[in-house]
Amino acid sequence: MKKFLLTLTLFIAVAITAGAQTAKGVIQGTLIDAKSKEPIEFASVALIPQGTTAPVNGCNTEENGTFILTGVKAGTYTLQFSFVGYMTDSRKVTVANNGKVNIGKVALKQDKKLLKEIVVSEQRSQMSFEIDKRVFTVDQSIASTGGSVTDVLTDIPSVEVSNEGSVSLRGSESVTVWINGKASGLTADNQGDILQQMPAESIEKIEVITNPSAKHSPEGTAGIINIVLKRNRKAGHYGSVQAGANSLGGYNASGNINYSSGKLDAYASLNYRNNRRENGSKTYTQYFNRDSYQLQTGDGERNHNNLFARAGLTWHPTANDDIYTNLTGMFGGGDNKNTIISDNGTLSLMDVTTRRTRITDGENKPRMYNVEAGYTHRFATDHYIDISLSHNIWNMENKTSYDQTIENTVTSATSNSYQFQRNKMNNTSTEIKLDYENKLSENSRIEAGYSGRFSDDESPVYTYTDKAHSIIDEQLFNRFIYKQNTHALYGTYSGRIDKFGYQIGLRGEYWETKTRSLDWAQENSGTAPAYTKKDFFALFPSLFLTYSLNGGHEFQVNYTRRLRRPWGGQLNSFSNITDSTNISFGNPGLTPEYSNAYELNYIKNWKNHTLSLSGYYRTTEDVIERISYNVGNIIYTTSENVASSNSAGLEIIGKNRLWKKFDLTTTVNLFYYKLDGFNYTINNQTITGKADENFSWNARMTGSLILPWAITMQMTGRYDARRIVAQGHRKASYSFDLGLRKSFNEHWSMSLSARDLLDSRRWHTITGDSNFKRDAENWHGGRTISATLTYSFGNMKAKRPTKKPKQNESMDNYNGYGEEME
């Protein structure tokens, strides 16, 4: 560990020294509103040499109105300032060799005539492209208003959310989900619960990174989904309150406020949601080895209440320093009720010999707390260091009763059984991050950093066999403990030669896992088994090459190495008995799966149209898959490193703005998947999976139309073709959403949405082997109509640009006034 940190320190020291050796002149200052004296953020600053009209350098002001131009050659220049709603102004400056010029405060006057002429004639696109990711603006998704993060993700191209809340990208569940660029306590165990309860109104945008560079965690072979939460910053104060309800009986209310000044930025939000959903299932299983079958139907409902709160504070002690802290909390609870009826009989006679009725009644109480603190120092505009520390606590207490009746339909004899299970998941994690970035010259940049994550999970399970909850079933007791510590060091170097750009990166990760599973005797005797320890070290290189042509053509090819670590629930050998005929358990012997990912991207921009083509190919070793086998009338399911796989695909994205009133985004994903065959023996049962390959595709189209009377309409349709899964396939499915938003004035607006308007969002899977075949269909939610009313308040100044140029974007892409060239 000491060598690791020493290497990081030396790397950063060398980088800082290199940056100092290449530095030239510096110009800095602050832009303010001439009337209110408040800072103007995101305004354009252009540096124009004397005697010319074309800028040679430029930037945008920070949130506190400050700007810094570095690497300025000696000479005389004109500094030109511009921003929407203000009159353009300029200053003359002379820079000496390695000199520093501070022009102080520059006051811009509002252009009252221009402000009066501003009307809503176009809509902001829901999706934008950046060099390494796609960005989706959530406030443009009308159908998600009043919903959860899960609802939002369902509408993102190439992203899918299963009935259990698991997220997949381009057909793979090996995807990492972040909040504000960090894990923030999200794990595969609690991810579904948190995303289903987090309100959509708290999100600013979602970033989809299909092939992340060495700067990012290699976790998730399919890529990273980063959920960026709102933290609006405007001069003065700004906020809104919102209330809504839906046709399933759910309702929500929220409020948020933001405050910003030259020295302080603060925000706070509070959201309450009552989430009601209905679910159902139908499963038909044939057992060929003993001439029997089972027909199982289920229906249930979910009623959850959740409070989600956030607050943050950023202090700017100087123009180059930020000290910040963010707090997030989620509290709630609710109940889940489900009834499963299973008819068993002889397959050849199709009779019913026994009927099993199992009623599940459960309640849970989730608690999540996250605190983050950090410090950022900017040596110059493109030269900074950021240090952050975050701590997360996640608790989920579940109490579930299982009341089961078995009836012999031949003799009319019945038997009853009862079980009550109490499970409390406890997860704590701490993350330390240090990121350094330095733009060495106009055509070169380095990034380096360290990331450490330390997590501790414990989930005891108690099962009682009486309704007084006093008799413990010792065979079903389990206390599972899972610890993982990860250390990572990364470095990247980016450069450009004329129209050719490149980035090379390397990330090294060392991680250690410890697991321990205690049964009842071990829990009470004090003779706990030793931890099962495993440690790993791996290198993850990345390479990005870009080439730009005249006329808006851009090509990119990249390569990264990724991995997928098994999560706690997959390693826990304890059996889940929610359904007594379908029992699942974990596998402590699982190992990580590794992937090599390749992409070839092409982007063409026109004035009102964008076309993106992405070809991708991925090879994966030791694929983790869910496999099933039967013993008697019970199906057992676990996870195994079954085989190797290959996948390839072509993703086509088209953005079209038609008639300035209609914005159309179309995504088509064509992909091929091949899974090698496998043969395993588990609990004296031989499980065979035949080699299988499949070509599949999905398509999504979202259209947004501005109607008269300040009404916006949004329509989203999706189709998923048939695809293979381990031991079977999933059938095709489709869905359609519709939303309307009406703005009454600058303060009031209302949204109406219909999710799953055709009531067709279902999962239909067929699996099996030589001994059995299963046809399973399940659904949740169904058609939902929602209405949401929003009131906005505060100082309603001219809106800031929605996109600030990234620090690693070349000024060649901008016209010198902060506006991206078409």
Side-chain angles (χ1 to χ4, degrees), residues 149-150 164-167 177-179 182-198 227 302 304 306 330 364-370 392-398 423-429 453 455-459 482 567-570:
V149 174
T150 299
E164 293 76 25
S166 61
V167 180
V177 180
W178 283 345
I179 298 176
K182 298 180 178 65
S184 300
L186 286 181
T187 67
D189 290 302
N190 63 30
Q191 176 179 285
D193 291 303
I194 293 178
L195 297 182
Q196 287 177 1
Q197 297 176 66
M198 186 180 294
I227 300 169
R302 168 191 173 106
H304 279 220
N306 180 67
M330 188 177 74
N364 59 58
K365 295 181 179 180
R367 299 288 187 271
M368 189 267 280
Y369 314 87
N370 181 270
N392 191 88
I393 299 174
W394 164 260
N395 295 323
M396 170 72 90
E397 183 177 5
N398 295 295
N423 177 21
K424 185 173 182 179
M425 294 186 291
N426 301 281
N427 170 272
T428 60
S429 62
R453 189 168 189 270
S455 63
D456 192 343
D457 295 85
E458 184 174 349
S459 53
Y482 175 65
W567 50 276
Q570 291 176 316

Side-chain angles (χ1 to χ4, degrees), residues 607-623:
K607 184 176 181 180
N608 293 313
H609 309 281
T610 298
L611 174 65
S612 170
L613 304 176
S614 296
Y616 56 92
Y617 175 69
R618 184 170 64 242
T619 62
T620 305
E621 299 174 353
D622 296 326
V623 176

Side-chain angles (χ1 to χ4, degrees), residues 131 170 554-558 599-603 613-615:
I131 192 64
R170 287 178 173 173
E554 184 169 350
F555 296 87
Q556 182 196 80
V557 60
N558 58 61
E599 280 195 10
L600 175 62
N601 301 314
Y602 165 75
I603 297 176
L613 304 176
S614 296

Side-chain angles (χ1 to χ4, degrees), residues 142-143 713-716 736-740 752-755 757:
I142 302 173
M713 181 172 67
Q714 187 177 90
M715 301 161 288
T716 300
F736 180 74
D737 299 331
L738 177 66
L740 293 170
L752 294 174
S753 65
R755 293 191 62 81
L757 188 61

Side-chain angles (χ1 to χ4, degrees), residues 722-772:
R722 177 187 185 274
R723 70 171 60 177
I724 65 167
V725 297
Q727 296 181 282
H729 68 274
R730 193 174 74 191
K731 289 189 173 183
S733 62
Y734 60 92
S735 62
F736 180 74
D737 299 331
L738 177 66
L740 293 170
R741 177 181 292 156
K742 161 68 176 175
S743 296
F744 298 98
N745 50 45
E746 63 180 3
H747 295 290
W748 290 96
S749 66
M750 173 171 277
S751 298
L752 294 174
S753 65
R755 293 191 62 81
D756 195 13
L757 188 61
L758 304 179
D759 199 18
S760 58
R761 191 168 281 150
R762 302 186 175 208
W763 291 262
H764 193 165
T765 306
I766 297 176
T767 56
D769 60 15
S770 58
N771 295 320
F772 78 97

